[in-house]
């Protein structure tokens, strides 16, 4: 406390000393035109502010610019807050060089060349006349130069404060921000973090009638599943105990064919469109949560800054959900938490390259990691995948920017090897097309709930009464890959995934609701990778679709809390049946308030089964009465398959000729009349051309043979037309006896003859 008081007093003295001077202060992120510079908000907690980064992949980006008002004629000293981002490793030369251009004239000083930490770089003195002046950031390299803010002052001997304790109040004074914050709210639920977990939480709560504030520090939603990071969404949805969970995620989940995929595959616009379509959601993009205000053991509000202007706002609510990944809200609220010390997973920055029509060049990168082709896995299929990962046991919170920057040095060093070193002859037309400057972290803080889920719970299938979210990803933990770690043992940048495959990937393990709220902060939920699990259990729960389903459960639980004025813990102890009933609702079900009637719209998804929606044709939506092979009585040895697409249900089965295997389908007609008996199959040269089929109705049996090699106009063979009576079974039996190839079974159906 004495240190804080002395710092505050010193800040006041500094402000007082600078007050008489003419000043111009501009946050780089608030430049009117960012040009080719990108807004980086990942490290606000570490360095105090968002900043602009010249992420041009080795090609200088377009200038960022702003027009400012010079208050009076005079001599002004120029200060630029920046960093030499490779200096922490004593790498040279500085890659992130840029110039400051004032009224068309570049300053003599080159910025981005000093300091291993963020600091004020002296730009010298220039004469300015009162009135409007244009300031431009001019990138010289395209290699991630960065600028936080620009300060001009006529107090030529004064220097802006560097200490964060003094810098924050000084910034506020320069921006003219009041100590009394504007207030938004009160909301029923405040969701912090806009990845899959945050989206699931916000949409679910809003559709159950809650007033929701949805706070996201980026301009897009999706987190790791956005175009900025491009990790394809994994984890199976719509299955397990409550197969309605996941229907909301299905609405916006990407369909990327690679990881990293293309910009278009991640559907940033669709995600925002779905959220904005909810009248109960107040979406706050470009807002970075910074702190909380407590009321006893409850959170009363969060404070967030607008990352474009530096202005801040207090957001009040009854309940909060931490979907930040790093557990920031829980950390500020002094929630019980844990973070693995050794063996922790790292952060990935994926990348992509392509072939140009003619030869291309790439600048030498002596400041990057010193790599040859043998030092990294070749980026096949033109992309560097998830395993470009580092920072395993580094400081995942305070050192996050350094972890990201190490990844950038690795990527640029690898591409330098491809273009300028021993890979040059094979990559003359190669060009770097995309590198993620937003990192994809896997593990840091985990907030503790009433249940801390363990690896043993999962693999032994421990049954919790509140088990609900199906986790289907294997227990997937990442470690440095030894063959690439020898050259950089302090911080390897290539990982290997070690999978414990005892997780049921079809039905899934039901993660309990009690992992989704804090055990000591009375109104705090959490969803995403910061839920209450151990390091090992995190290996299966951390993938995006699974995190999104956690959000769906949290949103519904928040509506129960709002309706009953109870805590998240009370939902388990007193209202669990009510929660489980809500989990049976279609994802598109909605109500205007938590006490209003629930409406199920006509476009609600069809409920999936315990093993999820079928990847093939859904028997429930097909014509007639359909019986899938999964419901047939099988004897003998049948092999399951799904390689030939166009099947019914989850796949098909096949058996060898003369193997004594049989498949018996029992079909119960829904009405009397004349029907067509269809047998669904896939023609193939290794199939039987004389598969024996017997059709029984009561005591009457008819025998046929069908050709499973012949091409089909439709996906089925018509075995016969027959008359049926409602409720009287038709039994169809296939045998391998006398078959001259594999017997294939998929489904049978009875379709009315019209």
């Amino acid at each position: 406390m004495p240190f804080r008081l002395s710092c505050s007093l010193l800040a006041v003295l500094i402000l007082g000393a600078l007050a008489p001077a003419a000043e111009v202060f501009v946050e780089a992120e608030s430049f009117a035109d960012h040009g080719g510079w990108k807004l980086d908000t990942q490290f606000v907690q570490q360095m105090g502010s968002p900043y602009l980064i010249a992420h041009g992949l080795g090609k200088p980006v377009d200038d960022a610019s702003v027009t400012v008002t010079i208050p009076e004629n005079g001599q002004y000293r120029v200060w630029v807050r920046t960093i030499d981002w490779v200096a922490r490793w004593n790498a040279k030369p500085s890659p992130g060089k840029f110039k400051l251009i004032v009224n068309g004239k570049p300053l003599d000083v080159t910025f981005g060349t000093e300091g291993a930490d963020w600091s004020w770089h002296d730009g010298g003195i220039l004469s300015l006349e009162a009135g409007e002046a244009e300031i431009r950031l001019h990138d010289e390299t395209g290699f991630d130069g960065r600028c936080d803010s620009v300060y001009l002052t006529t107090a030529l001997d004064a220097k802006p404060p560097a200490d964060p304790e003094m810098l924050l109040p000084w910034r506020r004074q320069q921006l003219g921000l009041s100590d009394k914050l504007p207030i938004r709210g009160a909301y029923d639920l405040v969701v912090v973090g806009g990845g899959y977990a945050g989206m699931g939480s916000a949409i679910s709560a809003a559709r159950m009638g809650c007033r929701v504030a949805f706070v996201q520090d980026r301009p897009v939603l999706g987190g790791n599943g956005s175009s900025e990071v491009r990790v394809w969404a994994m984890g199976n949805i719509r299955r397990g105990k409550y197969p309605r969970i996941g229907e909301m995620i299905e609405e916006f989940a990407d369909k990327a064919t690679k990881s990293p995929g293309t910009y278009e595959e991640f559907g940033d616009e669709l995600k925002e469109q779905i959220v904005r379509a909810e009248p109960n959601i107040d979406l706050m993009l470009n807002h970075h949560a910074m702190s909380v205000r407590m009321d006893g053991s409850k959170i009363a509000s969060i404070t967030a800054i607008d990352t474009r202007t530096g202005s801040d706002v207090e957001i009040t609510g009854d309940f909060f959900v931490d979907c930040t990944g790093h557990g920031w809200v829980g950390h500020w609220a002094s929630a019980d938490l844990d973070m693995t010390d050794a063996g922790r997973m790292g952060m990935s920055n994926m990348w992509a390259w392509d072939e140009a029509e003619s030869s291309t060049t790439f600048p030498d990168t002596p400041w990057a990691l010193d790599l040859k082709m043998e030092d990294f896995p070749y980026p096949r299929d033109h992309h560097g995948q998830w395993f470009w990962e580092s920072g395993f046991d580094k400081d995942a919170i305070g050192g996050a920017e350094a972890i990201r920057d190490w990844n950038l040095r690795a990527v640029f060093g690898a591409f330098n090897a491809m273009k300028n070193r021993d890979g040059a002859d094979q990559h003359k037309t190669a060009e770097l097309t995309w590198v993620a400057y937003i990192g994809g972290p896997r593990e840091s803080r985990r907030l503790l709930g009433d249940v801390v889920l363990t690896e043993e719970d999962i693999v032994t299938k421990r049954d919790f009464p509140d088990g609900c979210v199906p986790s289907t990803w294997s227990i997937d933990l990442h470690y440095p890959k030894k063959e690439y770690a020898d050259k950089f043992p302090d911080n390897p940048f290539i990982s290997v995934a070690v999978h414990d495959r005892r997780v049921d990937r079809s039905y899934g393990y039901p993660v309990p609701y009690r992992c989704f709220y804090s055990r000591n902060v009375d109104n705090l939920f959490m969803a995403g990778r910061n839920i209450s699990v151990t390091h090992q259990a995190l290996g299966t729960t951390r993938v995006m679709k699974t995190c999104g389903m956690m959000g769906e459960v949290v949103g519904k639980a928040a509506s129960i809390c709002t309706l009953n004025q109870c805590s998240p813990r009370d939902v388990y102890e007193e209202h669990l049946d009510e929660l489980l009933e809500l989990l049976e609702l279609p994802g598109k079900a909605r109500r205007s308030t938590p006490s209003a009637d629930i409406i199920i719209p006509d476009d609600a998804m069809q409920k999936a089964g315990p093993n999820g929606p079928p990847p093939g044709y859904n028997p429930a939506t097909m014509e007639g009465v359909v019986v899938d092979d999964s419901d047939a009585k099988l004897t003998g040895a049948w092999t399951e398959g799904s390689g030939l697409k166009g099947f019914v249900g989850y796949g098909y089965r096949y058996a060898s000729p003369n193997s004594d295997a049989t498949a018996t389908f029992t079909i119960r007609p829904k009405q009397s009349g004349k029907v067509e008996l269809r047998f669904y199959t896939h023609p193939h040269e290794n199939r039987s051309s004389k598969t024996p089929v017997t059709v029984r109705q009561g005591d009457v049996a008819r025998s046929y043979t069908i050709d499973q090699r012949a091409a089909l106009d439709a996906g089925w063979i018509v075995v016969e037309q027959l008359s049926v009576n409602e409720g009287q079974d038709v039994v169809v039996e296939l045998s391998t006896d006398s078959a001259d190839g594999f017997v294939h079974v998929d489904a049978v159906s009875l379709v009315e003859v019209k």
Side-chain angles (χ1 to χ4, degrees):
M1 185 62 70
F3 174 74
R4 288 182 174 273
L5 288 174
S6 62
C7 286
S8 299
L9 178 60
L10 185 54
V12 170
L13 293 175
I14 290 176
L15 295 178
L18 295 180
E23 300 170 304
V24 175
F25 177 76
V26 56
E27 297 272 24
E29 60 269 19
S30 66
F31 272 39
D33 183 359
H34 287 182
W37 295 66
K38 306 294 186 183
L39 178 63
D40 197 335
T41 63
Q42 300 169 89
F43 315 114
V44 173
Q45 299 297 335
Q46 293 87 341
M47 56 78 64
S49 174
Y51 58 81
L52 291 184
I53 182 170
H55 189 61
L57 310 184
K59 298 177 181 178
V61 305
D62 292 342
D63 292 357
S65 62
V66 65
T67 298
V68 300
T69 299
I70 304 300
E72 61 184 49
N73 297 342
Q75 298 283 99
Y76 287 80
R77 185 175 292 280
V78 180
W79 296 97
V80 176
R81 192 166 188 253
T82 183
I83 187 175
D84 176 358
W85 66 271
V86 300
R88 58 170 60 95
W89 299 289
N90 295 315
K92 298 181 182 302
S94 307
K97 298 176 181 178
F98 65 97
K99 289 283 190 178
L100 197 72
I101 301 175
V102 181
N103 288 334
K105 181 180 179 180
L107 274 63
D108 292 336
V109 174
T110 299
F111 297 97
T113 58
E114 291 183 0
D117 297 310
W118 282 90
S119 60
W120 291 100
H121 191 156
D122 186 354
I125 299 173
L126 72 163
S127 296
L128 293 172
E129 295 182 358
E132 289 190 345
E134 183 192 55
I135 299 176
R136 305 183 74 89
L137 300 179
H138 179 73
D139 174 36
E140 293 193 331
T141 67
F143 281 124
D144 300 283
R146 44 202 84 168
C147 178
D148 171 34
S149 50
V150 178
Y151 175 59
L152 290 74
T153 178
T154 56
L156 302 183
D157 294 331
K159 182 176 181 180
D163 188 288
E165 291 283 344
M166 297 181 287
L167 183 60
L168 181 59
W170 182 82
R171 280 182 185 274
R172 293 184 60 81
Q173 187 266 345
Q174 291 293 328
L175 294 171
L177 299 178
S178 170
D179 290 336
K180 187 174 182 179
L181 304 185
I183 296 176
R184 293 174 72 165
Y187 297 93
D188 297 319
L189 182 68
V190 179
V191 180
V192 185
Y196 271 54
M199 290 190 68
S201 299
I203 295 170
S204 176
R207 290 182 181 175
M208 287 295 97
C210 293
R211 297 162 300 165
V212 178
F214 190 11
V215 182
Q216 162 70 332
D217 67 341
R218 301 298 305 156
V220 299
L221 296 168
N224 285 346
S226 72
S227 65
E228 295 185 322
V229 187
R230 303 189 191 179
V231 180
W232 56 8
M234 291 287 105
N236 291 323
I237 58 177
R238 302 176 60 196
R239 64 196 58 239
K241 279 185 175 182
Y242 305 99
R244 290 290 190 184
I245 305 175
E247 289 184 2
M248 294 180 201
I249 309 308
E250 181 78 10
E251 294 180 40
F252 62 78
D254 71 77
K255 304 296 188 295
T257 56
K258 295 180 183 179
S259 186
T262 64
Y263 172 91
E264 294 78 11
E265 286 178 310
F266 287 90
D268 295 343
E269 296 81 6
L270 175 63
K271 290 180 173 69
E272 183 174 342
Q273 175 186 336
I274 288 173
V275 169
R276 291 198 184 277
E278 297 298 331
N280 282 339
I281 296 179
D282 186 0
L283 177 60
M284 303 181 194
L285 294 176
N286 299 296
H287 279 74
H288 191 104
M290 292 289 290
S291 62
V292 304
R293 179 171 60 84
M294 299 296 293
D295 181 7
S297 59
K298 291 184 177 182
I299 301 172
S301 67
I302 67 164
T303 296
I305 65 167
D306 186 326
T307 57
R308 300 157 298 184
T309 66
S311 62
D312 41 19
V313 61
E314 183 177 2
I315 305 167
T316 65
D318 294 329
F319 299 94
F320 297 78
V321 53
D322 189 332
C323 302
T324 64
H326 283 313
W328 281 112
V329 179
H331 167 68
W332 298 323
S334 298
D336 291 343
L337 54 82
D338 189 22
M339 185 162 66
T340 297
D341 292 329
R344 191 171 57 244
M345 293 179 282
M347 173 198 292
S348 291
N349 289 81
M350 298 190 296
W351 57 289
W353 62 284
D354 210 341
E355 302 284 357
E357 294 181 358
S358 58
S359 295
T360 61
T361 61
F362 185 72
D364 286 322
T365 58
W367 45 265
L369 297 192
D370 180 16
L371 300 179
K372 297 179 180 178
M373 296 297 292
E374 65 183 17
D375 295 326
F376 56 91
Y378 185 72
R380 300 186 186 280
D381 204 17
H382 295 90
H383 65 301
Q385 301 178 52
W386 56 267
F387 47 74
W388 289 76
E389 174 184 1
S390 76
F392 293 93
D393 288 331
K394 300 296 182 182
D395 181 355
I397 306 295
E401 187 178 23
I403 295 171
R404 189 277 307 271
D405 289 348
W406 182 265
N407 286 345
L408 294 181
R409 292 182 72 212
V411 171
F412 291 134
F415 200 68
N416 184 64
M418 293 168 62
K419 291 294 294 181
N420 301 322
R421 304 188 79 176
D422 52 335
D425 289 343
Q426 291 76 42
H427 297 92
K428 292 181 179 180
T429 60
E431 61 179 351
L432 198 56
T433 57
W434 177 78
V435 179
Y437 70 93
I438 304 293
R442 287 181 178 81
E443 182 177 8
S444 53
R445 301 184 187 105
R446 302 183 304 277
L447 308 179
L448 303 182
D450 283 343
V451 169
V452 181
L453 192 70
T454 69
E455 177 183 25
E456 183 179 3
D457 294 333
I458 296 167
V459 299
T460 62
K461 296 180 172 60
R462 181 178 176 185
D463 187 18
F464 290 95
D466 53 335
C468 52
V469 171
S471 184
T472 58
W473 197 248
S474 62
I475 296 177
D476 169 13
L477 300 174
H478 291 198
Y479 304 93
K481 194 165 188 178
K482 187 177 186 308
E483 64 190 273
Y484 299 113
D486 292 342
K487 192 169 182 178
F488 299 98
D490 178 62
N491 195 4
F493 61 88
I494 298 295
S495 70
V496 61
V498 177
H499 292 265
D500 181 333
R501 302 189 184 276
R502 290 176 288 175
V503 176
D504 184 342
R505 293 180 64 87
S506 179
Y507 181 85
Y509 175 77
V511 179
Y513 162 73
R514 283 172 289 171
C515 294
F516 307 150
Y517 63 83
S518 170
R519 68 189 186 190
N520 68 308
V521 179
D522 292 344
N523 62 342
L524 177 61
F525 292 99
M526 53 268 193
R529 63 181 176 86
N530 55 357
I531 66 165
S532 181
V533 294
T534 63
H535 162 74
Q536 290 79 12
L538 179 67
T540 178
T541 60
R542 64 181 170 80
V543 292
M544 284 183 290
K545 289 185 181 179
T546 304
C547 292
M549 289 188 288
M550 298 173 195
E552 290 188 36
V553 173
V554 163
K556 287 180 164 63
S559 74
I560 295 173
C561 292
T562 301
L563 178 63
N564 296 284
Q565 291 298 294
C566 67
S567 71
R569 177 177 289 116
D570 291 336
V571 172
Y572 172 73
E573 294 181 347
E574 301 175 15
H575 302 280
L576 182 58
D577 289 345
E578 187 177 345
L579 174 62
L580 300 184
E581 286 179 13
L582 293 183
L583 299 185
E584 297 281 9
L585 290 174
K588 289 194 173 182
R590 61 177 62 248
R591 56 191 178 191
S592 56
T593 69
S595 60
D597 292 336
I598 291 172
I599 299 171
I600 299 177
D602 294 337
D603 62 346
M605 294 181 190
Q606 183 166 1
K607 185 177 181 179
N611 293 309
Y617 295 112
N618 189 341
T621 62
M622 293 170 61
E623 186 180 13
V625 182
V626 183
V627 178
D628 188 41
D629 63 286
S630 60
D631 296 316
K633 180 180 178 181
L634 304 174
T635 64
W638 292 90
T639 300
E640 295 185 45
S642 59
L644 296 175
K645 301 306 177 185
F647 53 78
V648 175
Y650 295 91
Y652 49 79
R653 301 167 201 256
Y654 53 92
S656 301
N658 301 300
S659 60
D660 294 327
T662 64
T664 303
F665 296 81
T666 300
I667 319 173
R668 177 156 296 178
K670 293 183 179 179
Q671 60 187 29
S672 300
K674 192 172 185 179
V675 298
E676 185 175 86
L677 173 61
R678 296 176 179 177
F679 176 73
Y680 291 82
T681 185
H682 300 272
H684 197 277
E685 61 185 10
N686 69 3
R687 303 278 188 248
S688 169
S689 66
K690 51 180 184 178
T691 299
V693 179
T694 301
V695 181
R696 291 189 175 87
Q697 289 179 278
D699 296 331
V700 178
R702 298 177 295 278
S703 296
Y704 304 88
T705 59
I706 58 176
D707 184 356
Q708 296 190 274
R709 295 180 190 171
L712 300 174
D713 293 332
W716 62 79
I717 296 171
V718 177
V719 179
E720 64 172 359
Q721 291 188 353
L722 64 157
S723 296
V724 297
N725 295 317
E726 180 181 353
Q728 185 180 41
D729 291 344
V730 177
V731 179
V732 181
E733 181 180 282
L734 283 84
S735 170
T736 58
D737 292 348
S738 302
D740 59 353
F742 285 101
V743 172
H744 172 268
V745 297
D746 188 2
V748 297
S749 69
L750 296 177
V751 179
E752 180 184 6
V753 176
K754 299 180 181 179

